[in-house]
Amino acid sequence: MLDTLKKNPKFAGRRGPVVLLIMDGVGLGKYPDGDAVKAAYTPELDKLLKSCPNTSLKAHGTAVGMPSDDDMGNSEVGHNAIGCGRVFAQGAKLVDDAVTGKAVFAGETWKKLIANVMEHNSTLHFIGLFSDGNVHSNIAHLRAMIEEAKSRNVKKVRIHILLDGRDVPETSALEYVEPFEAFLAAQNCGGFDYRIASGGGRMVITMDRYGANWDMVRKGWETHVQGKGRYFKNAVEAITELRISSKAIDQDLPPFVISDDGVNPVGPIVDHDSVIFYNFRGDRAQEITNAFEDDNFEHFDRGCRPDVVYAGMMEYDGDLHVPKLFLVEPPAIDRTVGEFLCANGIKQLAISETQKFGHVTYFYNGNRAGKFNQDLEEYIEIKSDIVPFEQRPWMKSAEITDTVCTAIESGKYRFIRLNLPNGDMVGHTGNFAAVITAMGAVDLSVGRIAEAVRDAGGVLVISADHGNADDMFEHSKDGSIKLDKNGVATRKTSHSLNPVPCIVFDPESKGEYKNELRPGLGISSLGATCIELLGLEPPEDYDPSLLIMQ
C-alpha cells in the first residue's frame, strides 16, 4: 500500500473536479500542408489556446521510453507516461536490447520453443506485424530470431505476416516482403525450409483489441492456423493481386494463404509446432493469444486447437499473466497516478470508447488490468461501432461527452480522465476530409466539457498522447510534399514526431500559479500536474509539474 501524498501548501485545489482530456493523435503540426488539425474548424480549442496557459509537450522518442528520438510515440507508451508520471524504458527498447544482446536466446522460453521443435522435428512459426514501425513490432527482431533458429539447426520455419500500412507508409508492404523473401532464400540451403506461409492486413485479421471485433481474430485463426483462405504462390503475388481486386491499402488487405499446388497450404499450425507471436505491444496481441491458450474459449469455433508451445514476445497482461510463456520481461511500472489517488481516497472516473478504453485503464495504470480500489474507481466503456473509421469520423465522441458532462455535474468524482480517439483512429485511415470532420467532433466535445467544468468550478487539462492528425501527408527532408506518379500528395497514415498541446483551463484561478506553463517537458509531466491541481504534492521522483507555483 502506498503512503498518502501530502497536501500542497501552495494550492488547495478547486471545488470541482480535475478533468484530464486526451485528444488522441492530435499534435502540433510542423507543416501547414497536410495538417488536418489546423485545417479543421476548431473554435473551442482556438479560444482556449488564446485565453489559457498552454505549452507544447514532447510525445515521442526517449521522452516516452522509446529507443531513440527517431521513434514515433504511440497510445500505449503515451498513456503509460501520462499515468505513471515518469518515463520507463518501453517494449521496443527492452526487446531491442534483449535481441541485439542475445539475452533473449539464453532465456528458458526460447530454449523450450527450440527444444520442442527439435524433439518432434516440427515447425517454428512466427506471427506478427511485418514492418519496422517499432510501435507493435520490428522486423529486425524477426530476422534475428530466424537467424538464431537456423544456428540451432531448426529445419522448418513459417512466417505469418500482418501487413502494416499504418505505422509505416500505407502501401509499403512490398518494400518489406521482397527483401525478406531474398533473406529467406539465402537461409534455404542444406535442408532448411524457411517461408512466408500466410498474411493479411492488420485491420482485417488477427490484431483486434479490447474485444471490439473478434471476427478479425477468427479470420486470422483460419488463415494462420488452419491454412484456409485464398491461395497464392507467394506473398508478392498475393499483395499485388489483392491490391488490384480490393483497392485497399496494406492495413485493409484481405487475408491470403501460400500454397504451391493450390490445394495444400505450405504452413498450417499443427500439433507439436512452436509458435512465437513477435509483437511486443500488448493490446493487439492478447486476443490471438487467448485463442491459442484459453481452454474455455467461446468467441468463435477454433475447430481442433493444435497442441503447440506458444509464446509472446513479451507478457501482454501482467495481472492475468498472458501469455503463459514470453521471451522478454515487460517494463516494471509502479506507483502510478491512479494508485496514489486511491491511497488518498480520491474518487476517479476513467472513460473512453472501446478503441481506447484500455488506454485510460490498463495502460494508464502501468499495464495493470484491474482496479486499485473497487470503491474509488469507476471505468466506463462506450462500445465502438464496427465500421471503417472514415465512414463515421465522429465516432463516439458525443456519447463519451454526454457521460463526462453528467459525471462532472454529479459531483461524485474528484478526478476524471477521458480519451477521444478520433484524431488517431481516423488519422490512420489517411482520409484528410474525414479527419477534418473528426477534429470538428473533438472540438465540440472540448467546448461542452469546458462549459461543464466551468459550471462545476473545476479544472480542465487538455493534451494528447502523440501526434497523427497533424501530419497527414508524406514530406521530404526539405519539407516538400511527396507526390505519387499522378502528382497527388502521398497520404500518411502513421503517427507524427510532433509535440502535442497542453492547455490548462482553470476558470476559478486565484493566481496560485503563473499564467504560463513550464516549457521543455514531456507528456509524463501531466501526472504531477494533475496531482498538484488536486491540491496534493506530487511524488519527488515524478517528472516536474507544468505549473509554476507563485
Side-chain angles (χ1 to χ4, degrees):
M1 183 70 180
L2 294 181
D3 293 334
T4 57
L5 297 172
K6 296 178 181 178
K7 290 185 177 181
N8 190 337
K10 297 183 178 180
F11 185 77
R14 299 283 175 246
R15 61 187 177 91
V18 173
V19 179
L20 175 61
L21 190 163
I22 302 300
M23 304 183 296
D24 209 296
V26 177
L28 298 169
K30 181 178 180 180
Y31 307 108
D33 295 322
D35 188 338
V37 177
K38 288 181 180 176
Y41 180 63
T42 56
E44 300 297 336
L45 278 169
D46 295 343
K47 179 173 62 178
L48 292 172
L49 281 167
K50 288 179 180 178
S51 61
C52 300
N54 66 87
T55 190
S56 64
L57 301 177
K58 300 172 187 174
H60 80 285
T62 56
V64 289
M66 298 297 283
S68 78
D69 285 337
D70 292 328
D71 293 305
M72 67 186 82
N74 60 69
S75 294
E76 176 195 27
V77 301
H79 284 78
N80 274 171
I82 294 168
C84 64
R86 57 229 201 270
V87 179
F88 287 82
Q90 288 291 337
K93 179 170 175 52
L94 294 172
V95 170
D96 198 61
D97 289 347
V99 170
T100 56
K102 296 189 178 296
V104 67
F105 306 125
E108 291 304 313
T109 294
W110 178 262
K111 292 177 181 177
K112 185 172 185 177
L113 290 159
I114 300 301
N116 174 64
V117 169
M118 301 304 291
E119 177 185 353
H120 295 100
N121 192 28
S122 58
T123 304
L124 175 60
H125 296 264
F126 294 93
I127 308 173
L129 188 62
F130 196 70
S131 79
D132 56 3
N134 226 26
V135 174
H136 291 265
S137 68
N138 194 317
I139 197 172
H141 304 152
L142 173 61
R143 283 176 177 260
M145 288 188 289
I146 289 172
E147 290 173 338
E148 182 68 19
K150 184 174 182 180
S151 76
R152 303 292 181 97
N153 206 35
V154 173
K155 293 297 186 181
K156 189 174 180 180
V157 169
R158 292 293 183 263
I159 305 99
H160 307 268
I161 63 175
L162 301 171
L163 305 178
D164 195 343
R166 191 175 174 91
D167 300 326
V168 295
E170 62 182 23
T171 54
S172 58
L174 292 179
E175 297 174 21
Y176 297 100
V177 170
E178 289 176 335
F180 195 81
E181 290 278 32
F183 163 73
L184 293 178
Q187 313 304 314
N188 289 336
C189 57
F192 291 92
D193 179 14
Y194 291 9
R195 300 185 64 178
I196 293 174
S198 71
R202 60 179 283 182
M203 297 305 290
V204 177
I205 64 171
T206 311
M207 281 178 58
D208 182 45
R209 66 179 174 193
Y210 310 145
N213 185 3
W214 273 98
D215 198 52
M216 286 174 58
V217 188
R218 177 191 63 79
K219 291 175 184 175
W221 182 265
E222 291 180 352
T223 303
H224 312 314
V225 178
Q226 298 174 338
K228 294 180 179 179
R230 186 175 172 185
Y231 287 166
F232 295 87
K233 290 191 179 299
N234 55 62
V236 173
E237 177 186 270
I239 293 165
T240 302
E241 292 194 18
L242 288 172
R243 279 180 178 167
I244 295 170
S245 61
S246 69
K247 297 180 173 58
I249 59 177
D250 293 346
Q251 61 181 308
D252 298 321
L253 284 177
F256 59 87
V257 177
I258 305 305
S259 171
D260 292 329
D261 57 12
V263 177
N264 300 296
V266 302
I269 298 173
V270 299
D271 287 348
H272 306 306
D273 286 349
S274 291
V275 181
I276 298 173
F277 194 81
Y278 63 85
N279 284 17
F280 46 73
R281 175 167 157 172
D283 55 346
R284 293 191 183 274
Q286 292 190 34
E287 290 175 38
I288 188 64
T289 297
N290 292 339
F292 274 101
E293 292 195 336
D294 285 2
D295 294 330
N296 301 312
F297 187 83
E298 299 178 347
H299 299 287
F300 57 84
D301 183 3
R302 294 177 294 186
C304 183
R305 177 174 51 139
D307 180 13
V308 301
V309 177
Y310 176 89
M313 181 61 88
M314 303 190 79
E315 186 177 42
Y316 301 133
D317 190 315
D319 290 338
L320 300 177
H321 299 297
V322 172
K324 297 180 179 68
L325 297 175
F326 53 92
L327 292 165
V328 179
E329 289 284 346
I333 299 175
D334 60 358
R335 302 170 63 253
T336 66
V337 173
E339 189 175 7
F340 273 116
L341 297 188
C342 284
N344 279 73
I346 291 175
K347 182 83 172 177
Q348 304 166 62
L349 171 66
I351 178 172
S352 187
E353 61 178 277
T354 306
Q355 289 295 334
K356 296 292 181 175
F357 176 68
H359 291 80
V360 293
T361 54
Y362 174 83
F363 289 120
Y364 184 89
N365 287 333
N367 304 338
R368 177 189 174 94
K371 297 177 180 177
F372 296 108
N373 187 306
Q374 293 288 336
D375 297 327
L376 292 175
E377 294 177 280
E378 183 173 353
Y379 297 164
I380 297 177
E381 175 188 358
I382 308 294
K383 289 291 184 181
S384 293
D385 294 320
I386 304 177
V387 297
F389 300 112
E390 67 270 27
Q391 294 181 12
R392 205 159 296 170
W394 45 88
M395 299 182 69
K396 292 295 182 181
S397 57
E399 291 86 344
I400 295 170
T401 303
D402 289 343
T403 306
V404 168
C405 288
T406 299
I408 293 169
E409 294 162 3
S410 74
K412 288 172 55 179
Y413 309 97
R414 289 289 297 142
F415 183 58
I416 298 170
R417 59 184 183 267
L418 68 142
N419 180 298
L420 296 174
N422 310 59
D424 187 43
M425 301 310 295
V426 186
H428 279 307
T429 70
N431 188 317
F432 193 84
V435 179
I436 289 178
T437 300
M439 284 306 307
V442 169
D443 192 67
L444 288 171
S445 293
V446 167
R448 291 180 58 201
I449 293 171
E451 183 178 356
V453 166
R454 181 190 296 277
D455 292 344
V459 184
L460 174 61
V461 180
I462 303 169
S463 193
D465 51 350
H466 58 79
N468 186 338
D470 47 288
D471 195 12
M472 297 294 297
F473 294 159
E474 295 284 355
H475 288 82
S476 301
K477 290 184 178 180
D478 63 3
S480 61
I481 298 175
K482 291 183 179 179
L483 304 178
D484 64 18
K485 60 183 179 181
N486 298 315
V488 177
T490 304
R491 303 191 307 178
K492 183 177 181 180
T493 55
S494 61
H495 297 168
S496 74
L497 300 180
N498 293 326
V500 299
C502 179
I503 305 169
V504 176
F505 173 61
D506 185 0
E508 295 190 359
S509 173
K510 301 175 181 64
E512 297 95 334
Y513 54 88
K514 291 184 178 180
N515 193 37
E516 60 186 88
L517 300 180
R518 189 173 279 115
L521 299 176
I523 55 175
S524 56
S525 287
L526 290 167
T529 304
C530 290
I531 288 173
E532 279 200 327
L533 289 169
L534 286 163
L536 301 169
E537 289 188 345
E540 290 184 359
D541 62 339
Y542 267 37
D543 288 339
S545 168
L546 295 161
L547 305 178
I548 305 173
M549 291 294 176
Q550 301 276 32

